[in-house]
Amino acid sequence: MRTLRAVAVTAAVALLGAAIPYLTSTAAHAAGPVLRVTVTQVSVWATGYGADVTITNTGDAPATGWTVAFDLPTGTTVSSSWSSTRTQSGQRYTFTNVGWNGTVNPGASQTFGFNAAGIGAPTNCTVNGASCTGGPSPSPSAPASPSASPSASPTASPSPSASPSGPPPSSPPPPGGPVVDVATAAQLSSALNSAIPGTTIRLAAGTYRGAFATTRPGTADARITLTGPRTAVLINDGPSGTAPSCPAPTAGWDSGYGLWLFGAPYWNLTGFTVAESKKGIVLDDSHHVTVSGVHVHHTEDEGVHFRRSSADGIIRDSVIEYTGLVQPGYGEGVYLGSAASNWACHGNSGGVDRSDRVQVLNNRIGPYVAAEHIDIKEGTFDGVIRGNTFDGRGISGQNSADSWIDVKGIGYVIENNTGTFAAPGVFANGYETHNPVTTPSFLNGCGNVWRGNSSDLGGVGQYAIRITSTSKCAGNLNVVHASNTVANATAGLTNIAVTP
């Protein structure tokens, strides 16, 4: 589980989740574009971390391109990166903009990100050859002296595999919003049932057993936050009672879900753990929900489900493992939308489950996720799958679960993910598309884009990216860019022509 770790970069230090700025010098007042760089460590685990890098223009003219470079100490390497072109010379890493994020207008910013293997922080940062502070270029032979060292060493995970540990940062309450501190299951249930826009519910460390659900909506201007340390663990020992024909909070029925939002948009769920439940976190008709820094493990079925048109959500910087313990074929890590066969229950948008535009960012999914690490269902559109790490150990092969991602949705960007496979497990391809026929009809499994993904198929998988059909996607083809790489494949990178 995540630690509170301070990353030292030059003379500025910040806790996990906060910015680590290269402080702007007086050069920021000069004419023309002036770029400075901020590194934010957004995820930490026992052997590495993930970071977002923001390039901000504090000058008075647009910058038409950027190149950020820095050193990492021996023992720390960049394992993956996204939204940039990366090169390496020894321990110095260079990141250059891609076509769509090169222009930085005055007062605006662009971002990229990377995952590091090892805990060493960047030093000697330059942007377009000048110091990331806006001053002169630092000497690469003289590493900057940090004002503090990384802190809060990793501790053991409560699950059988190594995971980040320690409390992640809590989201601060919105101005004027009530703060409710809870330490028992009864207090948590009461807080969930009475939350109003702007409420922050803070979990104390401990185990919470019960059926935790809410139907209380936040608003765009006053989100509701449920936050706690990783040692705050939600467990549902259900299900029990008689279920309704379609899942909905019903008196006398316990769904068995670890945490259930039903008709509850605009929530933040941060930091805590959900374990030992039928399903982990389920969002029904709950749009604009952000799930950040959670740990979901040991579930009977799926880990996190965006369902019943839970659109515009985000899950980031989280760990999902050990799913499908009872029904391996239904043990997806992250599940987006619903199968068309379930639209009678969950198709609340013109008969379709439109859980559109969900972003899955910088998560570790696996090992022992028994079904797909991410299942992208038909009838969903325009999501982003970026910067994730997939560990394929334990994929069951049941219910056609034999890949990291099964893409039946439309218009997804799948980039800069890293996937591996090793025994045990059943593994056919890294990424697959399928084209189910639905009513209403869509070009399901079409118009998706893969770029910058790194795949190691363990000598078992055929293709890193297998496109099932091109004829069924006429006019909206899937695109596989040459920036994707593959190792240890029995067939190759992909079964279609590669796009530069």
Side-chain angles (χ1 to χ4, degrees):
M1 286 172 282
R2 179 183 291 181
T3 61
L4 278 175
R5 183 185 302 281
V7 176
V9 190
T10 69
V13 180
L15 292 177
L16 170 63
I20 307 162
Y22 292 89
L23 298 175
T24 309
S25 72
T26 56
H29 302 289
V34 177
L35 301 181
R36 67 178 181 90
V37 171
T38 302
V39 179
T40 304
Q41 191 184 70
V42 294
S43 181
V44 175
W45 51 96
T47 58
Y49 62 89
D52 287 344
V53 183
T54 302
I55 303 100
T56 301
N57 186 352
T58 61
D60 58 10
T64 57
W66 50 261
T67 297
V68 174
F70 53 71
D71 298 327
L72 289 176
T74 301
T76 298
T77 59
V78 173
S79 57
S80 63
S81 58
W82 52 94
S83 301
S84 63
T85 299
R86 182 177 88 244
T87 58
Q88 177 185 0
S89 177
Q91 287 298 111
R92 189 157 185 83
Y93 292 85
T94 301
F95 305 83
T96 302
N97 64 275
V98 290
W100 50 269
N101 64 355
T103 299
V104 191
N105 290 317
S109 61
Q110 296 285 4
T111 62
F112 69 95
F114 67 93
N115 288 328
I119 61 173
T123 58
N124 303 320
C125 179
T126 62
V127 55
N128 290 355
S131 171
C132 288
T133 66
S137 176
S139 169
S141 62
S145 299
S147 60
S149 300
S151 61
S153 60
T155 58
S157 167
S159 75
S161 70
S163 301
S165 62
S170 299
S171 298
V179 177
V180 181
D181 289 309
V182 302
T184 68
Q187 291 172 348
L188 174 56
S189 293
S190 176
L192 291 171
N193 288 329
S194 59
I196 61 174
T199 298
T200 294
I201 304 169
R202 297 193 304 203
L203 295 160
T207 299
Y208 299 76
R209 292 184 180 271
F212 302 114
T214 185
T215 59
R216 307 289 290 184
T219 67
D221 295 329
R223 299 172 68 91
I224 302 173
T225 295
L226 174 64
T227 185
R230 288 291 178 86
T231 48
V233 184
L234 278 56
I235 295 175
N236 190 337
D237 296 315
S240 62
T242 302
S245 57
C246 292
T250 304
W253 176 57
D254 178 356
S255 66
Y257 304 168
L259 178 64
W260 190 10
L261 273 60
F262 191 96
Y266 294 107
W267 276 68
N268 299 323
L269 309 175
T270 70
F272 52 87
T273 295
V274 176
E276 300 175 36
S277 303
K278 178 175 177 58
K279 302 178 188 289
I281 298 173
V282 178
L283 311 177
D284 277 326
D285 193 20
S286 298
H287 53 86
H288 290 92
V289 171
T290 295
V291 182
S292 178
V294 302
H295 184 197
V296 178
H297 65 90
H298 290 86
T299 61
E300 296 180 6
D301 300 336
E302 68 266 33
V304 177
H305 197 159
F306 291 80
R307 191 172 68 179
R308 196 172 168 82
S309 299
S310 293
D312 298 295
I314 300 172
I315 176 168
R316 64 178 301 162
D317 307 319
S318 298
V319 175
I320 303 170
E321 56 191 348
Y322 292 89
T323 64
L325 299 184
V326 173
Q327 297 192 93
Y330 298 91
E332 295 87 354
V334 177
Y335 199 120
L336 307 181
S338 303
S341 58
N342 291 321
W343 286 356
C345 280
H346 303 307
N348 61 328
S349 298
V352 183
D353 181 343
R354 292 294 300 269
S355 294
D356 296 343
R357 298 176 300 279
V358 175
Q359 301 180 61
V360 185
L361 310 174
N362 306 331
N363 305 284
R364 175 167 69 77
I365 306 177
Y368 296 96
V369 167
E372 294 89 349
H373 291 65
I374 305 175
D375 197 357
I376 303 173
K377 304 308 289 188
E378 54 268 28
T380 66
F381 287 73
D382 301 330
V384 176
I385 314 296
R386 177 184 296 138
N388 303 283
T389 299
F390 307 125
D391 184 336
R393 289 175 292 167
I395 293 179
S396 67
Q398 296 188 26
N399 196 27
S400 301
D402 52 14
S403 61
W404 300 313
I405 301 184
D406 190 349
V407 186
K408 304 182 189 76
I410 305 102
Y412 281 75
V413 174
I414 302 166
E415 64 178 359
N416 304 120
N417 303 287
T418 299
T420 60
F421 176 77
V426 177
F427 194 62
N429 301 283
Y431 305 85
E432 296 179 349
T433 67
H434 292 94
N435 314 95
V437 176
T438 59
T439 303
S441 179
F442 303 102
L443 288 178
N444 292 307
C446 302
N448 304 291
V449 176
W450 284 261
R451 57 191 178 212
N453 300 287
S454 173
S455 302
D456 186 338
L457 307 188
V460 176
Q462 294 182 324
Y463 293 102
I465 304 160
R466 185 178 186 276
I467 305 301
T468 300
S469 174
T470 55
S471 62
K472 292 180 180 179
C473 294
N476 195 23
L477 294 175
N478 292 292
V479 176
V480 177
H481 285 282
S483 56
N484 298 285
T485 62
V486 66
N488 301 313
T490 63
L493 175 64
T494 184
N495 62 323
I496 64 171
V498 172
T499 299

